[in-house]
Amino acid sequence: MTPTRLRAFAAVVRLGSVKAAAAELGVSEAAVSMHVAHLRKELEDDLFVRTGSGIAFTPGGLRLARRATELLGLQEQTIREVGHAGHGRRLMHVAASALFAEHAAPGLIALFTSRAKDLEVELSVRDPWEFAGLLANREVDVAIGPRPDRLPATVTCTPFFSYQLVVVASPSHPDLPALTGGKASLRQQSWLLGPSANSAASTVAALLRRLDVPEQGQRIFQSTAAALEETRRGHGVTPVPSFVVADDLAAGRLVRVPVAAAAAAGDGRWHVMTLPESVGLAAGAELARFVTTPRATQAMIHGAGVTIGHFRPSVHVTLWR
């Protein structure tokens, strides 16, 4: 049961056909079929059969599918860990929602890594619906963001930070008086948004749905900071966590736009998700504990705006995939 054979079978499971699996792996369909045939012979199980509507798995095939993703993920994780250990370093992979990655992760990770000089963190922005699969496949050690609707019992999920989403505009906004007119007037505005608007699980996307904001009224920027810069120039309105714009509101550079109770921006909550400590990376479990501390909360709030270049050791961030 080699990694190559497991990788071929896992691709068939994920994509639903030998043809699609071969295309993804860059091999012939015959090669994929050969790997599956070897597994069938070794395990004495058909694993799956072709039907008119696709592929139907045997009970044994379903068990192998789960184990294959776990084993392949563990292999990749081991390769990474051995490589970094050879250089006296540890590497932790963190997946985060866009809103958390931009506004809370910099301060949190800077403080956390300052406690462990041999630890590097690679932070990537992912949609929360991917969290469970990323953890199960060992592609990441920690996932942070809103809790997905479906989360396996094998994933430990802890809420740790609640925030209020507010809608802001510039005092010089040309249509400012009309912004108090309720949902109809808000739908007519230009909504300047960060990348979190792309995720259906985000509080920003939920607000846009409640207000029925048309797509043509939405402009999505590479970051919420860029959207806010346009907002300060009076070009539209932006939904954002209140702690991010607290100084702007206090200084009068931005004003809060009242939103009808029926479509209130409301509260959001971030969760930290890991595999059980006996399975996952020890540093991941330590981070999951650390995020619940008062020091971590202060770092998340007051660390917003810290540039990646200030981190020691390095924190690698991918905003666009």
Side-chain angles (χ1 to χ4, degrees):
M1 192 157 48
T2 66
T4 301
R5 293 171 184 172
L6 289 175
R7 193 168 289 108
F9 180 72
V12 172
V13 172
R14 186 173 66 257
L15 300 173
S17 77
V18 171
K19 181 178 181 179
E24 179 180 272
L25 296 172
V27 300
S28 67
E29 292 181 43
V32 173
S33 297
M34 180 187 68
H35 291 315
V36 172
H38 280 299
L39 288 173
R40 283 170 166 163
K41 182 177 180 181
E42 181 178 356
L43 298 173
E44 299 180 351
D45 190 298
D46 287 337
L47 302 180
F48 64 83
V49 295
R50 292 180 176 86
T51 68
S53 57
I55 286 178
F57 292 92
T58 67
L62 289 176
R63 290 188 179 91
L64 178 61
R66 288 194 294 268
R67 291 299 186 193
T69 54
E70 291 176 5
L71 290 169
L72 291 170
L74 185 58
Q75 180 192 35
E76 293 298 323
Q77 179 180 324
T78 302
I79 291 172
R80 293 196 306 266
E81 291 177 354
V82 170
H84 281 77
H87 296 87
R89 311 291 300 170
R90 290 182 296 158
L91 176 63
M92 179 168 64
H93 294 267
V94 178
S97 63
L99 208 60
F100 178 85
E102 182 175 358
H103 300 299
L108 171 69
I109 296 177
L111 180 59
F112 181 71
T113 53
S114 70
R115 297 149 44 98
K117 302 301 183 182
D118 67 332
L119 179 67
E120 291 187 10
V121 174
E122 183 176 274
L123 175 68
S124 60
V125 176
R126 307 296 287 262
D127 197 292
W129 69 266
E130 298 180 90
F131 286 170
L134 291 170
L135 288 166
N137 296 340
R138 309 296 199 279
E139 294 181 49
V140 302
D141 305 297
V142 182
I144 303 178
R147 189 185 192 282
D149 290 336
R150 295 180 180 179
L151 203 62
T154 53
V155 174
T156 301
C157 181
T158 305
F160 67 92
F161 190 100
S162 296
Y163 63 89
Q164 183 181 36
L165 193 70
V166 297
V167 180
V168 297
S170 168
S172 62
H173 191 292
D175 202 23
L176 190 60
L179 293 180
T180 60
K183 291 175 63 173
S185 63
L186 288 171
R187 280 197 295 268
Q188 298 171 8
Q189 299 305 314
S190 178
W191 285 76
L192 312 177
L193 309 165
S196 64
N198 284 319
S199 170
S202 72
T203 51
V204 172
L207 173 64
L208 297 174
R209 289 194 297 269
R210 288 196 295 270
L211 289 172
D212 296 324
V213 176
E215 287 190 6
Q216 59 267 30
Q218 303 176 29
R219 294 175 56 197
I220 299 180
F221 293 78
Q222 189 174 8
S223 66
T224 306
L228 282 171
E229 185 59 33
E230 285 294 291
T231 300
R232 294 186 187 96
R233 296 172 181 170
H235 296 163
V237 300
T238 298
V240 65
S242 59
F243 71 87
V244 175
V245 291
D247 291 343
D248 281 322
L249 292 173
R253 292 186 293 269
L254 292 171
V255 295
R256 183 170 174 177
V257 176
V259 178
D267 297 330
R269 177 175 288 185
W270 287 320
H271 297 71
V272 57
M273 287 150 273
T274 62
L275 293 174
E277 191 166 353
S278 59
V279 177
L281 186 71
E286 185 180 347
L287 176 61
R289 290 189 291 268
F290 180 68
V291 295
T292 63
T293 65
R295 287 187 67 203
T297 300
Q298 289 301 309
M300 286 183 279
I301 293 174
H302 299 297
V306 175
T307 64
I308 299 304
H310 291 170
F311 290 174
R312 293 294 183 273
S314 298
V315 177
H316 313 284
V317 181
T318 302
L319 285 179
W320 295 95
R321 301 176 57 238

